Amino acid sequence: MHEAICRQAERTPDAVALRGGGRDRSYRDLLDEAAALAGRLRAEGVGPGSVVALCTERSPEMVVAVLGVLLAGAAYLPLDPSHPRARLDLMLTTADAALALTDEEGRVALGTGGAPAVPVRPLAGADLPALPVDWRGYRAPEEVVDGLSYVIFTSGSTGAPKGVQMTHLSLANRLSWMQEEYRIGPGDVVLQKTPYTFDVSVWELLWAFLAGATLVTAEAQAHRDPQEMAAVIAREAVTTVHFVPSMLALFVEEPGVAACAALRRVICSGEALPPKLVNKLTATLTTVRVDNLYGPTEAAIDVTAWPCRRPEPDPTVPIGRPITNVVAYVLDDDGALAPLGVPGELVVGGDCLARGYAGRPDLTAERFGTVHVAGRPQRVYRTGDLAWWSPQGYLNYGGRIDTQVKIRGQRVELGEIESVLNSHPLVTNSVVLLRDDLGAAPTLVAYVVTERHADAGDVSEAALRAFLAEQLPDHMVPLRHVVLPELPATANGKVDRRALPAPPARVRRPVRVGSPSA
């Protein structure tokens, strides 16, 4: 893809490629900066087969760094500076990163509590030795074409995150399909708002540059604020944007949505999409096209797509049909093709699959396997999702088979949270649930059984949250904790999750006017 971006820059060198941080970068500027960074990386021995970590907040410099790593022939590994140091070190080691590029927040994150796990270099602005890299006429070496484009970590049920190793072939197929389907070009503006540790960010980062369009970077934490999202979409005349459905639900309630007159494409993925959101948005912005996409991180961002109808009439929005060069099968419990309308596990294959998980051949063998369809073997990924085919030939989503859930659009294995909780010296067992009966949004609740001698203060809700926050990102830390004498069990001895009680309501003390607490 970075070779194709170089070709586009040669065609439109003076067009605005990247806007953010108070300045516009032309395609020429963008590729000059990326090539300079690639030269610095080459001088440090980075090349085909290398992995370079990025630990930074969202910024135009982050976008330049992604292109620079790719031009150096390496794969990029995005890291969130807000994550605990132990988790960042684990990712660096598992992915076998050669070095890390950081801004100030990233440098502090990787250096807190001791020396960084890998050499740390500044993201931009350093006058360091470099080997020449010319983006004009650039052709990717064969070992790069056959190699990795990025490594993105997802939550793991064993207590350790999993590093998905994505190939250039799968990424190229995904972005080529996207351009064929949506046809953006000069005059289009794509908003980069998804955290770059989430695979949706990959198309946000690269797609615009393949088509001569402009990429606008939102401020570092702006994606959490629907009012700010409406403002930047209107101000920058954004034509193309992605929303996780839970954020779309907040966005459509903003008064500023009506001012987003340039918006033409809204891509949704990450969670089940309610039809009422589609219908409310398209009633407000009558020229907007909404598409519902589906795909696991292990299969190049998205593997199926559904162009939403106006209005979208069904109780749930389908996830659609496989994209170009991708196949999807629904298998029953015996591994045979399930009949139409019968739910089964969704497995996907074709030019979309990751190479596997970094440093985990056992897990790769477990999740990536072979199926025989029409007598032919085919490599596939077992998604762990339930789906069924409609008679009209499109897929419907039926939820998770296991305990994997989506929180703020990010995939989380509840087993990882439980594993960390169980490592607490005073916790003997735990179960984590995502409950949707406690308020407006689904809430993570942890149920813990503690040592009998445990002091209440040591296993209080605040204490357990603080313990988890040292090892897990914020979205994986349960908001509520319930201490139980034992976990309820079914007749066969398994934990009876349905019998776990709702956490008690929090008592709010009345505040007297004029009192010190008022």
Side-chain angles (χ1 to χ4, degrees):
M1 288 294 94
H2 56 287
E3 181 180 312
I5 291 170
C6 290
R7 300 289 78 74
Q8 180 61 48
E10 290 174 347
R11 291 191 292 270
T12 57
D14 298 317
V16 176
L18 180 61
R19 180 176 299 141
R23 61 171 286 204
D24 289 353
R25 287 172 169 84
S26 68
Y27 274 82
R28 180 188 294 108
D29 296 336
L30 174 66
L31 270 297
D32 281 348
E33 290 185 42
L37 174 57
R40 284 171 44 201
L41 294 173
R42 290 275 186 88
E44 298 230 31
V46 169
S50 300
V51 175
V52 174
L54 306 178
C55 192
T56 172
E57 296 283 2
R58 176 170 45 245
S59 67
E61 290 72 28
M62 179 200 79
V63 179
V64 172
V66 168
L67 282 177
V69 171
L70 294 175
L71 278 172
Y76 77 95
L77 164 64
L79 301 177
D80 187 336
S82 70
H83 284 190
R85 166 69 187 273
R87 187 179 181 87
L88 297 176
D89 283 351
L90 177 63
M91 294 177 179
L92 289 166
T93 303
T94 303
D96 193 23
L99 55 83
L101 298 170
T102 71
D103 58 9
E104 181 59 24
E105 290 81 1
R107 187 188 64 79
V108 171
L110 294 180
T112 300
V118 299
V120 173
R121 302 291 183 260
L123 197 67
D127 185 17
L128 297 175
L131 296 176
V133 174
D134 191 354
W135 58 269
R136 298 165 183 82
Y138 172 86
R139 292 291 183 271
E142 195 62 35
E143 59 268 35
V144 172
V145 175
D146 294 334
L148 300 180
S149 52
Y150 60 83
V151 180
I152 284 182
F153 276 81
T154 68
S155 179
S157 58
T158 61
K162 303 175 294 187
V164 177
Q165 301 172 306
M166 189 52 60
T167 66
H168 277 285
L169 170 65
S170 295
L171 175 59
N173 185 73
R174 168 62 176 74
L175 292 182
S176 296
W177 165 82
M178 199 168 202
Q179 177 60 10
E180 181 70 23
E181 178 69 19
Y182 301 112
R183 294 289 183 181
I184 65 170
D188 274 296
V189 178
V190 178
L191 181 62
Q192 205 292 295
K193 60 180 269 300
T194 303
Y196 77 152
T197 53
F198 186 26
D199 62 346
V200 165
S201 67
V202 179
W203 71 251
E204 287 183 346
L205 286 164
L206 300 178
W207 180 27
F209 303 145
L210 296 171
T214 299
L215 181 68
V216 170
T217 56
E219 294 297 319
Q221 299 301 319
H223 61 279
R224 302 179 187 274
D225 184 347
Q227 183 177 7
E228 174 59 23
M229 284 296 93
V232 71
I233 290 169
R235 182 175 66 249
E236 300 291 347
V238 170
T239 63
T240 306
V241 68
H242 173 271
F243 278 108
V244 173
S246 56
M247 179 53 75
L248 180 62
L250 300 176
F251 175 75
V252 297
E253 299 296 331
E254 285 296 321
V257 169
C260 300
L263 196 58
R264 294 290 179 269
R265 304 166 199 86
V266 172
I267 311 297
C268 290
S269 66
E271 296 170 342
L273 177 61
K276 64 181 180 181
L277 292 184
V278 177
N279 298 337
K280 185 162 188 174
L281 180 65
T282 54
T284 304
L285 299 175
T286 57
T287 59
V288 165
R289 168 179 172 174
V290 181
D291 285 71
N292 189 35
L293 274 55
Y294 162 87
T297 304
E298 290 84 351
I301 313 170
D302 300 296
V303 290
T304 69
W306 176 256
C308 293
R309 295 161 286 190
R310 308 174 69 97
E312 185 60 57
D314 294 338
T316 59
V317 178
I319 58 174
R321 299 177 175 87
I323 69 171
T324 304
N325 299 322
V326 170
V327 293
Y329 305 114
V330 176
L331 305 182
D332 62 19
D333 292 341
D334 297 322
L337 294 177
L340 288 178
V342 177
E345 182 177 15
L346 179 61
V347 302
V348 296
D351 292 341
C352 64
L353 298 183
R355 178 181 294 174
Y357 299 109
R360 293 296 306 275
D362 56 333
L363 193 58
T364 299
E366 176 186 328
R367 302 304 299 175
F368 294 84
T370 302
V371 297
H372 289 77
V373 178
R376 297 179 58 188
Q378 188 160 31
R379 183 173 183 256
V380 295
Y381 170 71
R382 304 180 66 92
T383 68
D385 288 328
L386 287 171
W388 68 92
W389 287 104
S390 73
Q392 294 77 26
Y394 57 79
L395 285 162
N396 295 281
Y397 177 71
R400 292 293 303 166
I401 293 175
D402 53 21
T403 59
Q404 193 180 86
V405 298
K406 287 286 184 71
I407 301 172
R408 302 179 204 164
Q410 301 187 63
R411 196 175 72 184
V412 171
E413 295 273 4
L414 297 181
E416 181 176 2
I417 307 174
E418 294 167 356
S419 178
V420 175
L421 260 178
N422 291 341
S423 71
H424 190 290
L426 297 177
V427 173
T428 60
N429 201 0
S430 67
V431 170
V432 178
L433 296 182
L434 185 68
R435 299 190 68 120
D436 58 7
D437 58 350
L438 302 180
T443 302
L444 276 178
V445 179
Y447 297 87
V448 297
V449 178
T450 66
E451 298 284 355
R452 292 184 179 180
H453 66 273
D455 182 86
D458 293 335
V459 292
S460 67
E461 191 165 77
L464 291 175
R465 280 181 55 80
F467 174 79
L468 292 173
E470 293 178 353
Q471 303 175 66
L472 297 172
D474 180 69
H475 70 274
M476 292 177 66
V477 177
L479 291 177
R480 302 299 310 274
H481 292 74
V482 180
V483 177
L484 298 173
E486 61 183 13
L487 296 175
T490 62
N492 63 5
K494 294 183 178 181
V495 175
D496 187 357
R497 295 172 181 266
R498 294 183 179 181
L500 290 166
R506 287 192 169 112
V507 177
R508 297 184 179 274
R509 294 181 300 170
V511 177
R512 297 179 182 175
V513 176
S515 67
S517 61

